[in-house]
Each structure stands twice: as C-alpha cells, then as structure tokens.
Amino acid sequence: HVQLVESGGGSVAPGQSVTLSCAISGPTARTDSTYCVGWFRQTPGNEREGLAAIDREGRTRYNNRVEGRVTISRDNTENVVYLQIDDLRSEDSATYTCAADRIGINHGLNRLWYGVWGRGTQVTVS
C-alpha cells in the first residue's frame, strides 16, 4: 500500500488559483507503475465529488463540471500529483482529498474504486 498526504489548502480570494499537492509514499510508491490518483472534494452533507484523475502514463479524466478550470498533473520522479484550480469561486470551498489505487483511468472519477485515501486539505474561497 501507499500513503497519501495532501497540502496546499488555505484561504484564497475569489478569482485566484490554488495548487494542491498529493505526496505519495510507501514501499511500493516508486516501483508500482499501476497507481491511478484522483482528486475529490466534499462539502458538509454532500458526497465526495470526483474532480480529476491521472494515471502513471499521464492519461487524465476530468469532471465536466470543472473542466477548463482544473488541471491535474503528476511528477513521477517526486511521486507527487498536483491539482490546480483556477478562477476560484465560493462554491469551490471544500475539503479536497486525493486517492490512489490500481485502477484504470476510466474509473478515475468514481470514489468507490479507490481504497487508499489521504486525510484532505481544506480550501476556503472568500
């Protein structure tokens, strides 16, 4: 298994951008080439919403609701997956969490396919 730690959250003004990081560690993090990583967000009372996912080869999937404002990228050398969100709006305020598992990119936005989760980082747009 791997461990995931998110960072980069905080208070951001509307219209600004934020880049979140998901650091992947663990005994297989550098040798297992099959991990897909997804970014999700959740607000109180709502289910986790998949925003973007990326596999080891760099293939990506985006939620249509945020496509165009969100960019996911991956640094396989440093084992970090980034999520950049542009033109932040109040409705982007949420807890952002990354997840990883040995799944195909086609399932990358489905939270039910992931078995490893980070603890999340809060983004507040105000």
Side-chain angles (χ1 to χ4, degrees):
H1 281 301
V2 296
Q3 293 82 46
L4 309 176
V5 178
E6 302 91 342
S7 61
S11 293
V12 189
Q16 298 298 307
S17 299
V18 68
T19 298
L20 307 177
S21 300
C22 174
I24 308 165
S25 62
T28 63
R30 294 192 180 275
T31 58
D32 194 320
S33 63
T34 59
Y35 278 109
C36 178
V37 177
W39 276 100
F40 295 78
R41 70 182 178 189
Q42 187 174 25
T43 54
N46 294 308
E47 292 185 352
R48 273 176 175 159
E49 175 185 32
L51 301 176
I54 188 167
D55 67 10
R56 190 82 176 185
E57 288 70 40
R59 291 182 290 252
T60 59
R61 287 291 186 273
Y62 289 98
N63 186 326
N64 290 338
R65 281 162 42 87
V66 295
E67 193 166 14
R69 294 198 299 125
V70 168
T71 304
I72 191 169
S73 59
R74 185 170 188 155
D75 184 334
N76 286 336
T77 301
E78 297 297 329
N79 270 0
V80 180
V81 174
Y82 302 98
L83 184 74
Q84 179 177 324
I85 311 170
D86 299 321
D87 188 26
L88 283 161
R89 307 162 185 175
S90 58
E91 56 262 38
D92 294 319
S93 296
T95 299
Y96 287 75
T97 309
C98 61
D101 216 316
R102 298 182 182 94
I103 62 174
I105 190 63
N106 289 339
H107 304 295
L109 298 183
N110 189 333
R111 59 184 173 83
L112 299 178
W113 283 80
Y114 288 95
V116 181
W117 292 84
R119 300 185 69 175
T121 184
Q122 179 69 34
V123 173
T124 301
V125 183
S126 63

